[in-house]
């Protein structure tokens, strides 16, 4: 081999060696970047999972599931009552539920904006003891975060085989509503700034779930064969603890107020059929649900906004109704405070 050939051979070997070294460096850098990204991604997920809001959301979901697990018999009254009692006393719900609490049906899968859905306002104790208890839960909560809103998905099954007096009111007055209860596959809970602001029956439904049909007879309340008022779950004796010393007073105050509200057609607008097309709906024709409006009723009668358009024309009648509404609001505060519930006296 000539001297020139030997020279070129050495140059090629050196170049190849340099390319190999350079390639090795590039590969090492790429591996480092990739590993760092994976590590950071894992850390991001871990950081999110460990955030106080996510931790709280998971805890809320798990405690609801534990309080009301699915049982094979959907008409098991003992399981229903146990669920209602546990939910009423569930501290994590008592501490986090907003006043008022919103409840309704999701109108479209994936739409988590509560303002877009038809809703009803509730006192938190009333909703979790009377409404939430009609559902059973299974599996694990799924947590979804959209900006500052956390959505808790709870797989559910509705207790559609209970006696009609066990339901908060005849949901079957609307077949669409009744089916949404029976066929929804999950409840959605909305947590914002560590407050549960509302819940929706998911628009994700299972049409194959067993359905129970009830005929709507036009009655919101009725007496059963024994003369007991129905739905009995709307009564204060069911809502409050047996030891609550304010039950008789709040019941008497509501009965007196309800007579005058009915005389002035207030209950026409504030019934579940929502003749006034309110959103959210505000209900007065059931004792327990009237608690939600106990302070707002006083305010609206004082400001001559209830009944619309200009309140009660007779001043003596209006003052009497204000006094009855104030008595009811005060009695409601005492009864709820005894149960450890949050009391708000401002506008709901």
């Amino acid at each position: 081999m000539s001297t020139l050939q030997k020279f070129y051979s050495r140059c090629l070997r050196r170049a190849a060696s340099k390319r190999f070294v350079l390639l090795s460096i590039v590969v090492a850098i790429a591996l480092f970047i990739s590993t760092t990204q994976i590590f950071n991604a894992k850390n991001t997920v871990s950081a999110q999972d460990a955030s106080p809001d996510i931790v709280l959301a998971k805890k809320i979901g798990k405690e609801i599931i534990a309080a009301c697990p699915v049982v094979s018999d959907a008409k098991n009254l003992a399981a229903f009552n146990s669920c209602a009692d546990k939910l009423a006393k569930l501290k994590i719900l008592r501490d986090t539920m907003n006043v008022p609490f919103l409840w309704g049906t999701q109108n479209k899968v994936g739409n988590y904006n509560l303002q877009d859905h038809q809703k009803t306002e509730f006192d938190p104790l009333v909703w979790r003891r009377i409404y939430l208890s009609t559902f059973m839960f299974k599996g694990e909560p799924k947590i979804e975060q959209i900006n500052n809103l956390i959505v808790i998905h709870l797989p559910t099954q509705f207790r559609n085989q209970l006696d009609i007096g066990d339901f908060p009111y005849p949901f079957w007055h609307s077949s669409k509503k009744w089916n949404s209860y029976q066929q929804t596959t999950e409840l959605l809970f909305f947590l914002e700034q560590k407050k549960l602001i509302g819940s929706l029956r998911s628009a994700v439904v299972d049409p194959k779930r067993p359905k129970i049909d009830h005929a709507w007879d036009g009655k919101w309340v009725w007496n059963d064969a024994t003369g007991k008022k129905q739905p009995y779950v709307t009564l204060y004796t069911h809502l409050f603890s047996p030891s609550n010393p304010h039950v008789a007073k709040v019941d008497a105050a509501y009965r007196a107020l309800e007579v005058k509200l009915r005389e002035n057609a207030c209950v026409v607008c504030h019934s579940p059929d929502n003749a006034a097309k309110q959103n959210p709906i505000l209900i007065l024709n059931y004792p327990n649900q009237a608690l939600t409006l106990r302070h707002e009723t006083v305010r609206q009668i004082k400001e001559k906004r209830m009944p619309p358009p200009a309140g009660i024309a007779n001043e003596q009648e209006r003052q009497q109704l204000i006094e009855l509404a104030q008595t009811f609001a005060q009695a409601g505060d005492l009864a709820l405070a005894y149960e450890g519930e949050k009391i708000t006296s401002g506008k709901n």
Side-chain angles (χ1 to χ4, degrees):
M1 181 181 295
S2 66
T3 303
L4 186 59
Q5 287 176 324
K6 290 179 179 178
F7 172 76
Y8 280 125
S9 179
R10 286 197 300 272
C11 288
L12 289 171
R13 286 198 298 271
R14 289 174 183 172
S17 177
K18 288 180 179 179
R19 284 198 300 271
F20 177 77
V21 171
L22 182 59
L23 181 60
S24 298
I25 293 171
V26 170
V27 169
I29 293 172
L31 285 171
F32 174 78
I33 293 172
S34 176
T35 303
T36 302
Q37 288 175 337
I38 293 171
F39 179 77
N40 287 340
K42 287 182 178 179
N43 274 0
T44 300
V45 173
S46 298
Q48 185 185 48
D49 287 346
S51 74
D53 289 345
I54 297 294
V55 170
L56 176 60
K58 287 182 178 179
K59 185 173 176 60
I60 290 170
K62 288 183 177 181
E63 291 202 22
I64 292 174
I65 293 170
C68 303
V70 170
V71 294
S72 57
D73 183 5
K75 59 183 178 182
N76 186 320
L77 192 59
F80 170 56
N81 288 332
S82 173
C83 168
D85 289 342
K86 288 177 181 177
L87 291 174
K89 299 170 184 175
L90 198 57
K91 186 177 185 301
I92 196 167
L93 286 182
R94 178 181 290 157
D95 292 347
T96 57
M97 288 180 74
N98 192 57
V99 182
F101 188 79
L102 299 173
W103 167 241
T105 310
Q106 186 184 33
N107 59 21
K108 183 180 179 182
V109 176
N111 185 347
Y112 299 141
N113 185 353
L114 272 174
Q115 300 305 315
D116 295 342
H117 311 284
Q118 181 64 54
K119 305 167 296 295
T120 304
E121 281 191 6
F122 285 94
D123 173 83
L125 175 62
V126 174
W127 184 78
R128 66 180 188 267
R129 179 167 177 78
I130 311 302
Y131 280 75
L132 186 56
S133 61
T134 61
F135 291 90
M136 302 178 284
F137 301 92
K138 60 184 178 181
E140 291 289 325
K142 173 189 170 186
I143 310 301
E144 187 175 0
Q145 184 162 6
I146 302 100
N147 298 322
N148 293 326
L149 181 68
I150 295 174
V151 183
I152 308 169
H153 299 250
L154 294 188
T156 191
Q157 182 178 327
F158 183 59
R159 303 178 200 266
N160 62 347
Q161 296 181 42
L162 294 171
D163 184 80
I164 58 174
D166 296 323
F167 296 109
Y169 68 86
F171 296 141
W172 45 93
H173 77 92
S174 162
S175 59
K176 181 179 179 181
K177 175 172 287 188
W178 180 230
N179 287 338
S180 82
Y181 272 90
Q182 296 189 90
Q183 297 179 342
T184 189
T185 60
E186 61 179 7
L187 294 193
L188 309 173
F189 291 79
F190 300 90
L191 186 69
E192 191 172 57
Q193 296 181 347
K194 297 181 175 59
K195 284 290 182 183
L196 278 175
I197 58 175
S199 176
L200 296 174
R201 300 182 296 281
S202 172
V204 179
V205 299
D206 179 5
K208 295 182 180 179
R209 290 194 172 186
K211 290 169 57 177
I212 299 294
D213 293 323
H214 291 301
W216 167 236
D217 61 4
K219 296 179 180 178
W220 295 116
V221 296
W222 64 94
N223 290 337
D224 63 17
T226 67
K228 185 177 181 180
K229 292 183 181 298
Q230 300 290 349
Y232 74 93
V233 295
T234 66
L235 305 177
Y236 296 123
T237 49
H238 179 77
L239 177 66
F240 295 122
S241 304
S243 61
N244 193 317
H246 307 290
V247 172
K249 183 176 180 180
V250 71
D251 184 70
Y254 171 75
R255 300 298 171 187
L257 174 63
E258 194 265 348
V259 170
K260 287 298 182 181
L261 289 175
R262 198 170 292 278
E263 288 177 0
N264 288 280
C266 298
V267 178
V268 173
C269 293
H270 296 282
S271 293
D273 56 350
N274 195 21
K277 306 300 179 187
Q278 304 172 75
N279 192 14
I281 308 171
L282 304 167
I283 295 177
L284 284 172
N285 70 323
Y286 291 115
N288 57 4
Q289 295 192 180
L291 287 170
T292 308
L293 277 172
R294 65 191 185 279
H295 294 291
E296 184 66 3
T297 300
V298 175
R299 186 183 72 85
Q300 292 210 15
I301 296 172
K302 282 184 174 180
E303 296 177 2
K304 298 185 177 182
R305 298 175 59 190
M306 181 178 177
I312 299 170
N314 185 305
E315 184 60 23
Q316 184 177 355
E317 179 82 3
R318 191 173 74 88
Q319 289 300 324
Q320 183 183 12
L321 195 52
I322 290 172
E323 290 176 9
L324 290 171
Q326 288 175 328
T327 300
F328 172 60
Q330 292 164 3
D333 284 353
L334 291 172
L336 287 165
Y338 180 85
E339 303 292 336
E341 297 297 306
K342 296 187 288 289
I343 304 301
T344 59
S345 58
K347 179 182 176 182
N348 282 325

